[in-house]
Amino acid sequence: MTKLLITFLAILLPTLAMADLHKEMIAYNQVSTPLEGYLVYQEGQTGKRPGVLIVHDWMGLGDFYKSIADKLADMGYVAFAVDIYGKGLRPKDSKEAGAFAGKYKNNRALLRDRVKAGLNQLLANPHVDPSRVAAIGYCFGGTTVLELARSGADIAGVVSFHGGLDTPDKSDGRNIKAKVLALHGADDPHVPMEHVIAFMDEMRASKVDWQLVIYGNAVHAFTLPAAGTDNAKGVAYNEKADKRSWEAMKLFFREIFKQPND
């Protein structure tokens, strides 16, 4: 009977402990461009807490990135999934997504301004400790958070999940104040090894506190289940790399937010 009770409580207590999440769409602007992001945090939690900015891939802010924000809120963070493209502007297919993303990749100043607008929205939230803020991004979003760091944003850290590592002006690395974690697929054809080497050279020359983790047998988009599992396409989900990269991010957060180990 006692063993049964312990087993029952072990199953029940984590469910009871899960806090309700406050979720809302937030309208904001970058100059005259209307944007709409997704904010989520635990209700009833007192005191200021770390904030995490999430930047979507080339398809724009959708349900997958809202689910990432929910997971981060469950972990105790204030999470804000930003909108780079603009309210209601979403590519209908990969061809259109390439055009959308290309607009910003070819104009890094605009990309930085757009993500800074989202960062300012997160920093303005009364629940957020502004000294403990990080930004994470996926694919196009990984490129974006690295550009945010290169802009000199005063945040604790950035995490790029299978993002582009190149930048038009490598000297911008000197502006980086944040700690940097880049999570990369070893077989990613969209981020060739010359870009990886150039990134490492940039980080070294700029004396950044940086980490690069490379996952074997992983190609581009290794965290995205919708990418399928065919590595031959150059874009594919990899369960091991997905789980390992998430754990790497959690460890990075414990360090930069000065949290105790689990």
Side-chain angles (χ1 to χ4, degrees), residues 32-245:
S32 60
T33 301
L35 307 165
E36 189 175 43
Y38 175 72
L39 176 72
V40 56
Y41 55 86
Q42 288 184 12
E43 290 184 335
Q45 193 175 7
T46 58
K48 291 185 180 291
R49 63 206 85 157
V52 182
L53 200 74
I54 303 110
V55 187
H56 54 76
D57 65 9
W58 70 344
M59 294 303 294
L61 176 56
D63 289 342
F64 179 78
Y65 296 102
K66 292 176 184 178
S67 73
I68 295 293
D70 289 348
K71 285 174 67 175
L72 289 165
D74 274 331
M75 293 161 60
Y77 303 121
V78 178
F80 186 52
V82 300
D83 173 17
I84 299 297
Y85 292 155
K87 184 176 180 179
L89 296 177
R90 299 292 179 266
K92 64 179 183 293
D93 53 32
S94 58
K95 182 179 179 182
E96 196 166 272
F100 271 57
K103 172 183 175 181
Y104 297 93
K105 286 184 178 180
N106 293 325
N107 187 342
R108 299 296 174 104
L110 175 60
L111 179 59
R112 293 177 183 186
D113 287 345
R114 195 59 60 87
V115 70
K116 282 180 187 175
L119 175 62
N120 290 338
Q121 190 68 35
L122 178 62
L123 289 169
N125 187 285
H127 300 291
V128 173
D129 177 354
S131 70
R132 295 191 294 161
V133 169
I136 71 172
Y138 295 76
C139 300
F140 166 77
T143 302
T144 303
V145 298
L146 290 174
E147 287 301 313
L148 177 63
R150 292 177 177 119
S151 76
D154 191 12
I155 58 177
V158 299
V159 183
S160 167
F161 290 87
H162 43 78
L165 303 176
D166 64 310
T167 188
D169 187 352
K170 288 188 288 187
S171 68
D172 283 349
R174 295 175 300 186
N175 301 325
I176 295 176
K177 300 174 184 175
K179 294 180 180 179
V180 173
L181 173 61
L183 305 166
H184 177 66
D187 301 326
D188 187 341
H190 299 283
V191 185
M193 189 51 64
E194 54 263 35
H195 288 186
V196 177
I197 292 169
F199 170 77
M200 292 192 293
D201 289 343
E202 176 194 0
M203 295 296 105
R204 289 189 188 105
S206 303
K207 298 184 176 3
V208 175
D209 185 338
W210 65 284
Q211 301 174 57
L212 171 66
V213 182
I214 298 179
Y215 298 102
N217 307 309
V219 293
H220 198 63
F222 59 75
T223 67
L224 310 180
T229 55
D230 185 0
N231 275 18
K233 294 180 178 179
V235 176
Y237 178 67
N238 183 299
E239 184 179 6
K240 286 182 180 179
D242 180 20
K243 290 180 177 178
R244 288 169 178 171
S245 61

